[in-house]
Amino acid sequence: MTYTLWFNCHVATMQDGRWSTIEHAAILTGAGRIEWVGEYRDAPGGTHQRVDLGGAWVTPGLIDCHTHAVFGGNRSDEFQQRLEGVSYKEIAAAGGGIASTVRHTRAADAASLYRSARRRLEHLMRDGVTTVEIKSGYGLDLESERKMLSVARRLGDTLPLNVRLTCLAAHALPPEYAGRADDYIDYVCDVVLPTLVAERLVDAVDVFCESIAFSVPQSERVLRRARDLGVAVKIHAEQLSSLGGASMAASLGALSADHVEYLTEDDVRAMAHAGTVAVLLPGAFHMLRETRQPPVEWLRKYGVDIAISTDLNPGTSPALSLRLMLNLACVQFGLTPEEALAGVTCHAAKALGLSETHGSIEPGKVADFVAWEIDRPADLAYWLGGQIPNRVVWQGRLLTPDTDTSGLSRWEHQHDA
Ligand code: NIG
Ligand code: FE
């Protein structure tokens, strides 16, 4: 086996959600895995390929654990309406919102969905993202949900990116089921989930539990069905109101409850008990001009792990930078830069059920990491957007040469080499 020693760097391992820094460090990789990490002077001997990282700070590859990156159309018109005072709920009630993106996504062919999603993912990847979760949920019928998940899978097959697939068929009520939400839930449970799980297009199942979407009992039926099919579950909950969806999902062992601004203290206890991660989405909070903050103090008090994600979607969070979300999570929600970085590494991995293999720089884990030209790790949450020169190592292979931002053609070239 060829081993590579990455040296002349400092490492924030993010083990157990802490910086756990090692200065004057080195990392040994082989067969796409991390073999060893420690101080350079203690590095294992032998004839390794050597890569000088030029004094960079190395973090785990960033993990964006909640996106709706595959969709047709765009909703900047609704953005304008909201700025004029129309609410997200009012837009949804008038047939806009998710329903508008469903129309565009159903009408789009797979090739155009692939192209537009790929462009969005390129932004995330240049900013150090090596794993991304992509949800369906703008198809809302078997064929269109399959189209979305197949596009997501193809993105994972063709890009140097680990893509996880989440079926969110219960995202909204499709027009053909208007007034018949329970019938749609039957269809999701009896047809959509079993078929797509059998086609291996589903790593997890999600549901939007909210007054403008599905009730707690309806959401519970979907998640129970997913569990019976042997698939992990998660939930969009407590975003606009407090319904108890997060507690219900926690009682089913959900990987994560996402948004969660309106969690009660009892919900937080239930999540702590179940080990359910709280995924905070500051982009949606910002875009909807929400004022209710997620209960970060309770999450800390009860030891609920906190993840941060873009929620990249055309309605509430057209966010193309996960690093910008770190800043928003610190400034808007009061996280420390250390908590924020844990939220896109270690705890984001947990929210995807990937704790064993991803999210920290430790022996045995997949060799996904980023070497950043920064003075200290907190710089990642400090700059508002922009491009921090970085080099991405994905599965032990160097993808980007220093400041190259010319796009994936070069990445793919190196990837294929
Ligand atoms: O995570 N909350 C529900 N779903 C998305 C919004 C989807 C949309 O508006 O298109 C979210 O914010
Ligand atoms: Fe979402």
Side-chain angles (χ1 to χ4, degrees):
M1 195 195 323
T2 314
Y3 290 95
T4 304
L5 187 73
W6 310 82
F7 71 103
N8 193 12
C9 59
H10 311 296
V11 179
T13 69
M14 301 317 292
Q15 190 170 353
D16 302 321
R18 312 308 299 261
W19 293 130
S20 307
T21 54
I22 308 170
E23 298 205 26
H24 309 292
I27 302 170
L28 186 70
T29 61
R33 298 267 161 176
I34 296 166
E35 292 282 333
W36 175 90
V37 57
E39 288 187 33
Y40 177 66
R41 60 172 179 221
D42 300 328
T47 44
H48 317 304
Q49 188 178 314
R50 290 167 63 88
V51 180
D52 184 341
L53 292 175
W57 269 96
V58 177
T59 69
L62 305 189
I63 298 174
D64 197 347
C65 67
H66 178 143
T67 86
H68 310 247
V70 173
F71 57 83
N74 115 8
R75 307 215 311 261
S76 55
D77 52 343
E78 292 181 7
F79 172 58
Q80 282 181 285
Q81 281 178 279
R82 287 204 305 272
L83 292 174
E84 287 158 11
V86 189
S87 76
Y88 183 59
K89 281 185 187 170
E90 287 164 341
I91 290 172
I98 294 171
S100 147
T101 300
V102 170
R103 287 191 292 278
H104 285 98
T105 305
R106 285 181 173 180
D109 62 26
S112 73
L113 290 174
Y114 173 87
R115 272 195 307 276
S116 61
R118 177 175 166 141
R119 272 201 300 275
R120 295 172 201 124
L121 295 180
E122 287 175 10
H123 285 276
L124 299 178
M125 293 167 74
R126 284 194 205 104
D127 217 19
V129 170
T130 52
T131 295
V132 71
E133 182 252 25
I134 301 178
K135 300 177 194 294
S136 65
Y138 293 123
L140 309 186
D141 60 35
L142 176 61
E143 189 192 335
S144 311
E145 289 288 299
R146 177 192 283 128
K147 177 173 67 176
M148 289 186 73
L149 291 168
S150 304
V151 166
R153 184 165 66 186
R154 191 168 149 233
L155 288 159
D157 289 343
T158 52
L159 295 175
L161 184 66
N162 180 23
V163 175
R164 303 294 291 176
L165 310 178
T166 297
C167 182
L168 177 59
H171 191 196
L173 196 59
E176 58 275 19
Y177 279 90
R180 296 189 295 131
D182 285 317
D183 291 347
Y184 181 63
I185 294 295
D186 286 343
Y187 170 66
V188 169
C189 291
D190 297 344
V191 178
V192 180
L193 294 184
T195 307
L196 297 179
V197 169
E199 292 175 14
R200 299 187 179 281
L201 284 169
V202 182
D203 296 313
V205 167
D206 194 349
V207 56
F208 186 18
C209 181
E210 191 54 68
S211 56
I212 57 169
F214 297 100
S215 68
V216 175
Q218 288 164 343
S219 303
E220 181 168 356
R221 284 181 58 207
V222 172
L223 298 190
R224 281 193 184 279
R225 182 72 176 116
R227 253 188 17 166
D228 291 346
L229 291 165
V231 178
V233 299
K234 38 182 53 231
I235 190 164
H236 282 68
E238 269 69 60
Q239 178 187 12
L240 308 170
S241 60
S242 176
L243 297 182
S247 289
M248 177 277 290
S251 76
L252 299 179
L255 289 174
S256 71
D258 303 32
H259 288 287
V260 299
E261 282 87 343
Y262 283 82
L263 283 180
T264 64
E265 193 166 1
D266 280 345
D267 295 329
V268 176
R269 276 199 208 96
M271 288 172 66
H273 182 69
T276 300
V277 176
V279 179
L280 307 187
L281 304 168
F285 176 90
H286 167 75
M287 284 290 284
L288 294 178
R289 293 170 147 174
E290 294 291 339
T291 52
R292 169 79 168 231
Q293 294 186 322
V296 169
E297 277 310 327
W298 285 338
L299 297 172
R300 287 182 182 135
K301 175 175 164 191
Y302 292 100
V304 173
D305 291 327
I306 300 173
I308 309 292
S309 170
T310 58
D311 194 13
L312 167 52
N313 78 70
T316 61
S317 194
L320 297 174
S321 167
L322 184 55
R323 246 186 349 88
L324 180 56
M325 300 303 115
L326 299 183
N327 182 280
L328 292 182
C330 292
V331 175
Q332 304 280 1
F333 296 161
L335 264 59
T336 65
E338 183 181 41
E339 287 173 321
L341 193 66
V344 295
T345 53
C346 175
H347 297 153
K350 186 174 172 191
L352 296 179
L354 296 177
S355 289
E356 296 295 311
T357 48
H358 293 77
S360 62
I361 298 180
E362 288 178 68
K365 290 209 172 175
V366 174
D368 288 357
F369 51 84
V370 187
W372 306 90
E373 288 184 29
I374 54 178
D375 295 327
R376 55 190 72 82
D379 288 14
L380 297 176
Y382 166 65
W383 296 106
L384 277 166
Q387 290 259 313
I388 294 182
N390 67 62
R391 285 190 274 179
V392 177
V393 175
W394 186 72
Q395 299 187 350
R397 281 172 290 179
L398 184 62
L399 297 182
T400 55
D402 51 69
T403 56
D404 174 56
T405 53
S406 65
L408 287 169
S409 48
R410 190 155 175 191
W411 289 11
E412 282 178 325
H413 178 72
Q414 296 210 349
H415 176 57
D416 294 342

